Amino acid sequence: MHVVKESVAVIGAGPGGLVTARWLAAHGFEPVLFEATDSLGGQWNAASTASATWSGMRTNTSRIMTAFSDLDHAPDVAVYPRQDQMLSYLEHYARKYDLIRQVRFGTRVLNLDMAGNGGWAIRYKAGGVEGEEIFRRVIVATGAQSAAKVPDVPGIESFAGGLGLVHTSQYDGPERFRGRTVVVAGGSISALEIASDLAFNGARVVSATRRQRYILPKLIAGIPTEHVMFTRAAALAGELLPPEAQAEGLKAAVLRAGGYPQQYGAPAPEANIFAAGITQSQSFLPAVAEGRIAVRPWIDRIDGEHVHFCDGTAEAADAILLATGYRLSLPWLAPRLVKTLALGDDGMDLHAHTFHPALPGLAFVGLYNLIGPYLPVLELQARWVAYMMAGLVPPPTSGEMEEGLRSSREMRARGQQPVLHALAVMLARKAGVEPDLREFPQLERALLFGPLSAVSFRLQGPDCLDDAADRIAEAAAAFGAICGEVHTPEENQLRRLLGLETPVAA
């Protein structure tokens, strides 16, 4: 007998939408993906007008951490994949799970609202024709980097430099800036990477930031930084240690990896690392030390081609690149949903970044600015949503939902972004796939101190993989990070806190 599968709408065919569709299909649903552009890939599709990537761009996270659990990158892909390799990877993933036939390309959502029957009404436009369909369940996976944020700077509209003022979402490489003076405004990863790209390709670069952050390199002694910093051990320590101890340990680790910015000629950050913040770039601080990049405080005002900074200095600039981040934009959400979610530029109120108690049947995947690699967290979030819909794990209680909303509001009030390791472990527990370290003694070090890859959550619970243990060990050893049986004093301290076996003496 032919069984009709329930259709579930997924808005967006980037990484979040694709991995959500994959797991919905695996558990008996028929995903229907609404994609406004003519091809998949989201941000990694440089040809899309919605993409902030450019040809030749490299990821800032390793190939191990920029992959889903069911598909590794091709053997010839470097440690940090190119933009075109990431797009090819996502296309391969979509073909592997027969997702392309389920994508409605060129279909722009115009409105999402509650329907009278308790479902969700999606009004859309495709081929110049409008339509509407009702779904019992909808997952929004359009990404958080959809609308550029422009700062309020006096005189910004008067800038008269010959190469103009644009947001870095429109950056298309360094070629046209050679021999010119460029002000890069912002201190995020993209700001520092673009500033470095320009500086090493013949531009004179001035970096303007609101505050000096601590800066991590992309590689620490040849090991990708997220393999070292964003681990299960860090997540567990964050649950056990008071904030002061966490800050002390984090700052010590950051300084061992990258040193103080002032050692390179940049300003000194605040002593409190949580207040100063952390960013990442392999080449920015060395470029400052070599005089390739000049560092200034934030922009005070703009007058014609002159950019005036808050320290009283000024530069005649040919171009200004605003690396000032993104605001969350969901213009097609019905006004009553916007109000319920308290949707703003900085996000919305959700339990575990996924559900709202007043909006059953509606979920969000990847609608946050994450510190660290996205793909492992996107997959865990997609698995949790699919498992709940399939009845494999229980839904959160009303009390858990309300506590989640309270936590969400507090994070937004502090301007705090989720961090890979903490969010991954939380979502893994909700999906029932967080591995029990005692069940895998041979993998203890890899699971605690190795990369927190997507496959490291395929050992237990639904959808475990036969080869997961081998792939976890291989990923942990790939850069020589987890070798031998002798634990460091820091590892031993954490093992005592976790109540594991007597540590091996270092």
Side-chain angles (χ1 to χ4, degrees):
M1 182 178 69
H2 178 67
V3 177
V4 178
K5 298 180 179 179
E6 179 188 342
S7 294
V8 178
V10 179
I11 303 177
L18 292 174
V19 73
T20 299
R22 177 264 184 274
W23 286 106
L24 287 171
H27 289 277
F29 299 96
E30 186 73 24
V32 178
L33 290 91
F34 290 77
E35 172 54 46
T37 68
D38 294 328
S39 53
L40 58 78
Q43 285 288 346
W44 293 110
N45 181 6
S48 168
T49 56
S51 174
T53 61
W54 63 93
S55 179
M57 173 186 168
R58 299 275 179 175
T59 65
N60 53 39
T61 55
S62 76
R63 64 172 183 263
I64 290 172
M65 293 298 291
T66 315
F68 298 129
S69 64
D70 293 301
L71 182 66
D72 293 330
H73 282 277
D76 62 342
V77 172
V79 175
Y80 295 98
R82 297 189 310 268
Q83 169 272 326
D84 61 300
Q85 291 171 325
M86 282 302 305
L87 180 58
S88 294
Y89 174 88
L90 294 171
E91 291 171 340
H92 185 183
Y93 186 82
R95 290 193 300 272
K96 180 176 181 179
Y97 292 104
D98 195 24
L99 301 177
I100 295 176
R101 68 176 180 83
Q102 295 164 313
V103 183
R104 298 182 183 179
F105 292 109
T107 303
R108 182 175 298 279
V109 172
L110 302 176
N111 189 65
L112 173 65
D113 199 358
M114 292 180 281
N117 61 357
W120 296 91
I122 296 180
R123 185 162 54 85
Y124 57 87
K125 188 173 185 178
V129 178
E130 290 191 16
E132 182 173 282
E133 293 181 37
I134 306 295
F135 294 85
R136 193 160 73 93
R137 311 177 206 251
V138 174
I139 293 96
V140 178
T142 50
Q145 291 83 33
S146 55
K149 186 185 296 183
V150 177
D152 184 14
V153 174
I156 194 170
E157 70 287 345
S158 75
F159 181 65
L163 296 179
L165 180 151
V166 295
H167 193 271
T168 49
S169 59
Q170 302 304 309
Y171 180 69
D172 58 358
E175 286 74 18
R176 71 189 189 97
F177 300 100
R178 294 181 192 276
R180 303 298 189 93
T181 297
V182 184
V183 174
V184 180
S188 64
I189 293 174
S190 61
L192 304 193
E193 291 289 88
I194 288 173
S196 303
D197 191 35
L198 291 167
F200 284 103
N201 283 281
R204 179 177 177 273
V205 180
V206 180
S207 170
T209 59
R210 296 183 188 276
R211 69 182 189 282
Q212 179 62 55
R213 307 183 196 187
Y214 291 85
I215 300 175
L216 281 165
K218 289 173 69 171
L219 290 157
I220 300 174
I223 304 169
T225 292
E226 71 271 16
H227 294 208
V228 179
M229 303 295 293
F230 300 141
T231 62
R232 185 174 279 100
L236 297 175
E239 296 172 350
L240 295 168
L241 298 174
E244 297 77 13
Q246 292 181 49
E248 182 180 342
L250 176 61
K251 185 174 179 178
V254 169
L255 294 179
R256 283 197 300 269
Y260 284 100
Q262 60 265 38
Q263 293 175 277
Y264 298 81
E270 286 191 40
N272 185 320
I273 195 167
F274 288 154
I278 303 172
T279 188
Q280 184 185 41
S281 175
Q282 189 70 20
S283 305
F284 180 83
L285 287 176
V288 172
E290 293 175 354
R292 297 175 186 268
I293 297 176
V295 181
R296 298 284 186 269
W298 191 239
I299 300 170
D300 177 65
R301 70 186 190 281
I302 297 171
D303 181 13
E305 66 179 17
H306 290 92
V307 181
H308 298 262
F309 303 99
C310 291
D311 63 354
T313 63
E315 293 280 354
D318 297 295
I320 299 176
L321 296 180
L322 299 174
T324 45
Y326 299 84
R327 56 185 177 82
L328 183 59
S329 178
L330 300 172
W332 35 264
L333 275 185
R336 57 178 168 177
L337 303 187
V338 171
K339 182 178 180 180
T340 298
L341 292 162
L343 176 65
D345 290 352
D346 63 337
M348 50 188 159
D349 292 343
L350 292 171
H351 166 62
H353 304 280
T354 310
F355 300 108
H356 193 285
L359 304 174
L362 181 63
F364 298 84
V365 171
L367 274 290
Y368 39 76
N369 287 302
L370 181 70
I371 299 173
Y374 269 88
L375 267 63
V377 173
L378 291 178
E379 179 166 313
L380 286 167
Q381 195 172 20
R383 290 174 72 187
W384 180 35
V385 171
Y387 292 171
M388 275 187 52
M389 289 185 177
L392 295 177
V393 297
T397 66
S398 58
E400 289 170 338
M401 283 274 209
E402 290 303 326
E403 175 60 23
L405 290 184
R406 185 191 63 79
S407 176
S408 174
R409 295 184 189 110
E410 289 180 353
M411 286 186 68
R412 292 178 68 182
R414 294 193 298 267
Q416 181 181 349
Q417 297 175 345
V419 183
L420 162 74
H421 50 276
L423 186 53
V425 169
M426 179 185 73
L427 291 170
R429 290 171 181 166
K430 293 181 182 301
V433 296
E434 168 67 352
D436 184 343
L437 297 175
R438 294 171 179 81
E439 295 293 321
F440 304 95
Q442 78 281 12
L443 291 175
E444 182 193 291
R445 294 193 76 199
L447 290 172
L448 274 174
F449 305 105
L452 202 61
S453 62
V455 77
S456 72
F457 298 100
R458 299 294 296 274
L459 285 166
Q460 289 179 300
D463 299 301
C464 56
L465 289 174
D466 291 339
D467 65 347
D470 291 340
R471 291 171 61 197
I472 292 165
E474 181 182 353
F479 297 92
I482 310 296
C483 301
E485 296 299 324
V486 178
H487 292 263
T488 66
E490 291 83 2
E491 292 177 19
N492 284 341
Q493 180 183 17
L494 179 62
R495 296 178 83 252
R496 291 188 188 96
L497 286 171
L498 295 175
L500 298 173
E501 296 176 6
T502 304
V504 179

